[in-house]
Amino acid sequence: MKKYACLATCLLALSFPLCAQKPEALDYNMYQRIRSEGFDHSHIMEYASALMDGIGPRLTGSPNLKHANEWTRDQFTSMGCSNAHLEDWGEFGLGWRQINTWVRMSAPDNAVFIAQALPWSPATSGPINGQAIWIEAKDEKDLEKYKGKLTGKIIFFGPMRDVKPVEKPLTKRNEDADLKKIEDFPVRVGEQHEDFLAGFIKELTFREKAGKFFADEHAAAIVVPSRDGRDNGGSGGTIFDDGGTGMGWFTYQREHAEKLPIVVTAIENYGRVYRLLKANVPVSIEMDVRTEFTGDHEHGFDTIAEIPGTDPALKDQVVMVGGHLDSWASGTGATDNGAGTVVAMEVMRILNALHVQPRRTIRVALWTGEEEGEFGSYGYVKNHFGFAPLSTAPDQLALPEFVRKPGGPIQIKPEHAKISGYFNVDNGSGKIRGIYLQGNAQLAPLFKEWIAPLSDLGVNTISVRNTGGTDHEAFDSVGIPGFQFIQDPLDYSSRTHHSNMDLYERLQPADLAQAAVVEAIFVYNTAMRDQMLPRKPLPHPELDEPGKAPLKNVMPGVVAAAEEQKKDATPEKTPEKK
Amino acid sequence: MKKYACLATCLLALSFPLCAQKPEALDYNMYQRIRSEGFDHSHIMEYASALMDGIGPRLTGSPNLKHANEWTRDQFTSMGCSNAHLEDWGEFGLGWRQINTWVRMSAPDNAVFIAQALPWSPATSGPINGQAIWIEAKDEKDLEKYKGKLTGKIIFFGPMRDVKPVEKPLTKRNEDADLKKIEDFPVRVGEQHEDFLAGFIKELTFREKAGKFFADEHAAAIVVPSRDGRDNGGSGGTIFDDGGTGMGWFTYQREHAEKLPIVVTAIENYGRVYRLLKANVPVSIEMDVRTEFTGDHEHGFDTIAEIPGTDPALKDQVVMVGGHLDSWASGTGATDNGAGTVVAMEVMRILNALHVQPRRTIRVALWTGEEEGEFGSYGYVKNHFGFAPLSTAPDQLALPEFVRKPGGPIQIKPEHAKISGYFNVDNGSGKIRGIYLQGNAQLAPLFKEWIAPLSDLGVNTISVRNTGGTDHEAFDSVGIPGFQFIQDPLDYSSRTHHSNMDLYERLQPADLAQAAVVEAIFVYNTAMRDQMLPRKPLPHPELDEPGKAPLKNVMPGVVAAAEEQKKDATPEKTPEKK
C-alpha cells in the first residue's frame, strides 16, 4: 500500500514539474546547530582511535569485527539512539585472524622484510626455512616444468614490476578542474564489463589452480609482491593485502581456501629476491606465519540503530545513513572504511546531541562483508526492501553471484515504499565536495539548494554520474535512492586503500568533521521534507540484453582491487571510487 | 720538496691571473669516448645489484662490510686496476649484524609492526613479551618517577610526532631556480654551530643516561619512533635507523654500547601504542631481536686501487676519486652510498676499458666509517697527507673528537704535495648538475670550461659554496682540493637517506650512468692537465677564535641526522647535503 502511495507521489511530481522545482523549505537554524555541534564538540577522533587503535582491523568473519559490531551498537545506544542491534545478513565463511607474521632473507644475506599474511592464509607450523624459487608461469602448462621441484620451497609468485619514484604528491585534493570533470556526465551506451571480467576470471581461476599445484608439490609457502597504488604509492614500505594478490576466488570459503601459508611482501623485498634468483644466486627465506581460524561458518552482521521519527504520518518512513565497518587485515581500515563508519557515528551523535525531532525515522547501518561483495548491504536490502533474482540456469549457477545473469524482475517488499534514501561515505578521509546522483538527474535542483549554504565548506558539486564500488549500490540496484558523496581523494588510492598503512595517522580530523556535518544535514533534510526523495524508474535487469548489462552493481572489493591494478597501468580517468 | 714546487705553482698562478685564465686544453675525443663507454656499455646496475642485493647493508665493523671491501678490491683488480688493496685506518669498535627483528602488538589487538634493530643493539634472549610503557621525560629528574616501575617493561621512548600527508612529490630534480640558489654564495661571517652542538650533546648525554637507567631498572627492551624525512617521507613504512634515534653516543664502542635491545619502529605503529597508552589501555608487545656481535675491536679498511700515471714527470702525482662504501643497517645503503660507490667503480671501469694513459696516477678510494665520523677518509688523509691536531687539554679530551678544539697548526706529510684533488659522490642517485668548489673560487673558470661540453647532460652549475657531511671534507680540512658534486636530490632526503628503504629500487640507472661519465671526465682532466688543481691557502684552525670556528669539517653522520631532524621542523633552506 505504501508502495502505491509512493508511486502516486512520484507520478504527481512528474506531472507537475514546476511544482517539483519550488524552493525547498530549509531549516537554516538547524544547519547552524549541526555545524556548531560538529565543529565545536566533535567526537570523531575519539571514535576513530577507539575503533582503529583499540579494536583494529575488521576483516569480515573475524573476532575483531564481532567486537566492532558490538562496540558500535553500544556506542549508538549510549549516544541516545533507539533500537541499536545487530542484524544477521547470512553465512559468510571462515573466521580468521593474524597473530604475527615475519619474513626474512637468511641467505645470501640477512634481511628483515616487510610482510603480512594475506587474509585467510593458513599458518606455518612455527618458523620455517626454505630455498626461494621464482615461478615463471602464465598458465597451467607453464607450471608443468616445476613438477617434482618444489618440495619445501618458498614460492615467489607474481611478476616483478617497475618501482618508480614518487613524482607526484601522494595526497591531493580536488581542484576546480577535477570537480568540473566529475560534474560532466559521460554518456555511455551499450558499455559492458564482460571483457575485463572474462580476463579477470581466467586469471583468478589459474591462480587457484596454481595454489593447489604448489600445495600438491609440497611447497612450504607462497610469497607474492604487493601491487602498486596510484602514483607509485605501493612502495617505500606500503603493501596492499586485498584480494588482488591472493591465489584464488573467495578464499574465505573453506572449499576455496588457500592451501599454503601465503604472505604479501614489500615490492622492494620481493625485488631483491627476484634479482638474486635471476642472477642464479641461491636465496633462503625464513618465515613465520601465525594465523588462526576462528570458525568455518561465520555469519555476518550489520550494526543498526535509529532516531525514531516523530511525525505520525511519516515516522514509519525512513532515511538511512551508513558506511561499511569491515576492512582488510594488514592495516586497521582507518580510511576504508573506518572513516565512513566514524562519520556515520558522528552524524548520529550530532543529531542525538541536538535532540532533533525528525519527521521520518533516521536509521544508521554499518555494513560488513563489503570488501568481499557488499554482502551486508545487499543482504539488508534483500531482507527489507527487495532484490534482483539471479539466473538459476546450470551454467550460471557455476559462476559466483556477482557475475551471474539476472533471472527475473526485481522483487519488492513492502518496506521498499517506506525508504526515502540512503547516504554512504566510503571514499576515505577526504572532506565532502558534493554528491553523485547515480543517474537520477531530477535530484540536481533539490540537492543544489541543500548545498548552497555549505559552499564555504567546499561543497559545491552535483554530479549526475554513477559511482560504484560500495554499499549505496545495494539500494540503487532495487530503485531506492542511494548516494555516495564526492570526497577529496587525499592518499586513498595511492597509499591507504587496502594497505598496511590504512592507519589512524591517515585520518584528517578537519575533513572528517566536515563530512559528518554535511552528511548530517543531508540526512536531516531528507528526514524533514514533505516528500520522499524522487526515484529513478525501477530497474529491469531482466530486460537488459544478455551479456550487455553493466555489472556495476554487484562488484566486490576483489574486482575493484583488480580494476585499480589495471587502472594503474593507464592514465587515471575518473576519480570514482573503485 | 714537491710541496714547495706546488706552492711555487700556486704563487705563479696567483701572480699571473691572465695566464691562469687561458683556455684549458681539453681532449674532446676522450669526452666522447667516455660518454660512449659509460652510456653504451654501462656496468653500473650490475655493480649495484651485486653490492646491494648480493652483499647487503654495510655497517662499519660488520662482516658484510668486510665482504664489500674484499669484493670491491677484487672488482678493481679484475677490471684492470693496479695495486688494489685494503688500507687499515684504525680501530673502529664493535662488529655487529642483524639476523632478524620483529615486533608486534599482542594486546589489546594483534598487529604486525614495521621495525628493525638499531645498529649495535644487543639481542633479546628469544621472543619476549612485556607491557608497554611510554616514558615522558626530558631530563634525568623526569626519570625518577619511573624508579621501581620498569621491570620487564617494553620502553617506548621518544615523543610522538605529527604524521602529515605527503603533499609534495617525494622525489624531485633541481629546477633552474634551485640551481640558481645553489650558485649564489652565502657570505657567513662569524657563524658557528656551537649552540646546536651544545643542545645536541646535552640531548645525547641524557639519552645515554636514560638507556642506562632503563637497564638498571630491568626494563626488557626499548622501542623508539622513526624520525621523519623531508616532506613527510618518514611515514608509510619508511623508517630511519641512523644515530638520531639511538640512546647515546658512539654505541659502536663497547663502553657506550646500548644496554638493552633497542628497535626503531614505523611512526604509525609507535603512534598506535602511544595513543592507547595515553587512553590508559594496557598494551602488550612481543618482540624478537636477533643480532650478533662479531668482534669488540674491529678495524676499518678503505678499498684502494689505481690506474698508474704514465708521464714520468707527473706519475707520482695523484688524482683521487671515491665515495664511502659503508652504510647504515636497515636498508642496503643503495643511495647512501652504494650510489657513490658504484659510480666510482664505473669511473674506474670506463677509464680501464678505454685504456687511458693518464699522466698522473688515478686512485680510487672507497671509504668506510663515514656514517660514524668520516673515519676512513680522515684516517687515510692523516696517514698520507696530513692532519689538524686536536687539543689535548683535559676538558677537551673528555669530548668526542669531532667537537674537540684544534690543538695546533696542520701537520703536513710529503704526499700532501703530490695530490691534485679528490672527487666524491655522496648525495644519492641523482645525476650530476655541477660541482661545489668548497670556497675555492679560482676553480670556477677552469671547471666552467670542463663542463661546457656536458651542458646537454644537465651539468651547468658551478657553486663556490661549501658543502659538508661527507668525505671530501677530510681533504679540504688539510688544504687539498676536495669536491662533492651537485646532484639532483631525488628522494634522498625524503625517503632513502639512512632508511630501511635505501634499496636497489631507489637507484636510477640513467642518473648513475651520467654521474659516472661526468666524474670520469673530471678525473681524467685532472690527471692530464699540466698543473695540479690550484689550492686555497692552507687552513689555520688553531688561529680561529676559540669556540667560534665552524665545526663543519668533522661532523659525523650522527650529527647530520640530528641536523636533518631539526631541519624538518623548519622550512628547507639550502639543498646542501646534511
Side-chain angles (χ1 to χ4, degrees), chain A residues 168-199:
Chain A
K168 293 182 183 175
L170 289 180
T171 198
K172 61 181 187 180
R173 294 197 176 271
N174 282 314
E175 305 296 332
D176 290 346
D178 301 315
L179 292 168
K180 179 70 184 65
K181 212 169 14 173
I182 293 172
E183 239 170 30
D184 290 340
F185 188 81
V187 177
R188 289 169 180 158
V189 176
E191 194 183 2
Q192 45 94 18
H193 291 215
E194 202 132 287
D195 279 356
F196 164 69
L197 278 172

Side-chain angles (χ1 to χ4, degrees), chain A residues 375-387:
Chain A
F375 295 143
S377 54
Y378 270 92
Y380 186 89
V381 166
K382 185 175 184 178
N383 290 340
H384 289 265
F385 306 121
F387 68 103

Side-chain angles (χ1 to χ4, degrees), chain A residues 231-491:
Chain A
D231 295 332
N232 313 318
S235 65
T238 298
I239 59 175
F240 296 89
D241 70 329
D242 51 19
T245 51
M247 290 306 292
W249 293 108
F250 308 114
T251 52
Y252 53 86
Q253 293 171 349
R254 180 54 73 200
E255 64 271 30
H256 294 286
E258 304 284 4
K259 305 287 182 285
L260 293 175
I262 179 166
V263 301
V264 57
T265 190
I267 193 64
E268 295 90 346
N269 302 143
Y270 193 87
R272 187 172 179 189
V273 173
Y274 171 82
R275 286 185 298 275
L276 287 167
L277 292 176
K278 293 291 262 188
N280 297 312
V281 177
V283 175
S284 296
I285 298 291
E286 190 186 21
M287 62 196 285
D288 189 14
V289 180
R290 285 163 68 189
T291 59
E292 187 187 359
F293 288 97
T294 55
D296 262 27
H297 303 282
E298 298 298 310
H299 277 231
F301 297 87
D302 301 320
T303 304
I304 308 288
E306 291 180 343
I307 300 174
T310 57
D311 184 325
L314 301 178
K315 68 181 183 182
D316 61 347
Q317 290 182 9
V318 66
V319 48
M320 290 189 68
V321 58
H324 70 88
L325 182 60
D326 66 303
S327 74
W328 288 98
S330 67
T332 58
T335 70
D336 188 15
N337 186 23
T341 296
V342 297
V343 164
M345 290 174 74
E346 177 74 354
V347 164
M348 297 304 276
R349 189 200 66 77
I350 291 170
L351 297 176
N352 272 295
L354 298 178
H355 302 292
V356 295
Q357 302 289 315
R359 298 175 69 190
R360 291 181 183 79
T361 293
I362 295 170
R363 184 183 299 157
V364 66
L366 301 178
W367 319 111
T368 62
E370 193 269 357
E371 295 297 356
E372 297 79 17
E374 300 168 13
F375 295 143
S377 54
Y378 270 92
Y380 186 89
V381 166
K382 185 175 184 178
N383 290 340
H384 289 265
F385 306 121
F387 68 103
L390 295 178
S391 169
T392 53
D395 65 320
Q396 288 291 305
L397 277 178
L399 293 172
E401 283 198 5
F402 74 96
V403 290
R404 222 177 285 163
K405 287 176 184 161
I410 286 173
Q411 310 210 356
I412 299 295
K413 294 198 169 183
E415 283 182 68
H416 190 274
K418 294 186 183 171
I419 174 162
S420 178
Y422 169 68
F423 297 95
N424 194 73
V425 165
D426 184 19
N427 269 329
S429 180
K431 69 180 176 182
I432 288 176
R433 307 302 303 273
I435 192 163
Y436 292 105
L437 301 186
Q438 295 304 114
N440 190 356
Q442 66 191 308
L443 283 162
L446 178 66
F447 284 173
K448 267 183 191 154
E449 286 178 40
W450 289 16
I451 67 173
L454 304 174
S455 173
D456 65 316
L457 298 179
V459 188
N460 294 294
T461 303
I462 304 290
S463 171
V464 184
R465 286 184 186 219
N466 245 327
T467 187
T470 186
D471 296 296
H472 66 294
E473 293 183 318
F475 293 83
D476 193 44
S477 73
V478 295
I480 297 167
F483 306 100
Q484 165 90 332
F485 291 96
I486 299 163
Q487 292 174 257
D488 274 345
L490 304 187
D491 47 7

Side-chain angles (χ1 to χ4, degrees), chain B residues 427-442:
Chain B
N427 268 329
S429 180
K431 68 180 177 184
I432 289 177
R433 306 303 303 275
I435 192 163
Y436 292 105
L437 302 186
Q438 294 304 114
N440 190 355
Q442 65 192 309

Side-chain angles (χ1 to χ4, degrees), chain B residues 180-301:
Chain B
K180 179 72 185 61
K181 214 169 13 174
I182 294 172
E183 239 170 31
D184 290 342
F185 188 80
V187 176
R188 291 170 178 155
V189 176
E191 196 182 0
Q192 46 93 17
H193 292 215
E194 203 133 283
D195 279 355
F196 164 70
L197 278 173
F200 180 67
I201 289 172
K202 194 176 156 203
E203 169 69 14
L204 269 192
T205 306
F206 165 60
R207 278 185 177 171
E208 183 162 344
K209 284 183 176 156
K212 192 170 173 314
F213 175 81
F214 300 145
D216 290 346
E217 293 291 317
H218 308 293
I222 302 170
V223 179
V224 298
S226 172
R227 68 169 173 84
D228 208 353
R230 189 198 72 215
D231 295 332
N232 313 316
S235 65
T238 299
I239 59 176
F240 296 89
D241 70 330
D242 50 21
T245 52
M247 290 306 292
W249 293 106
F250 309 113
T251 53
Y252 53 86
Q253 293 171 349
R254 178 55 72 199
E255 64 272 29
H256 293 287
E258 304 284 3
K259 305 286 181 290
L260 294 175
I262 180 167
V263 302
V264 56
T265 189
I267 192 63
E268 296 90 344
N269 301 143
Y270 193 86
R272 188 173 178 189
V273 174
Y274 170 81
R275 287 184 298 276
L276 287 167
L277 292 176
K278 293 291 263 187
N280 298 313
V281 177
V283 174
S284 296
I285 298 291
E286 190 185 22
M287 63 196 284
D288 189 12
V289 180
R290 285 163 69 190
T291 59
E292 186 187 359
F293 288 97
T294 55
D296 262 26
H297 302 283
E298 298 298 310
H299 277 231
F301 297 86

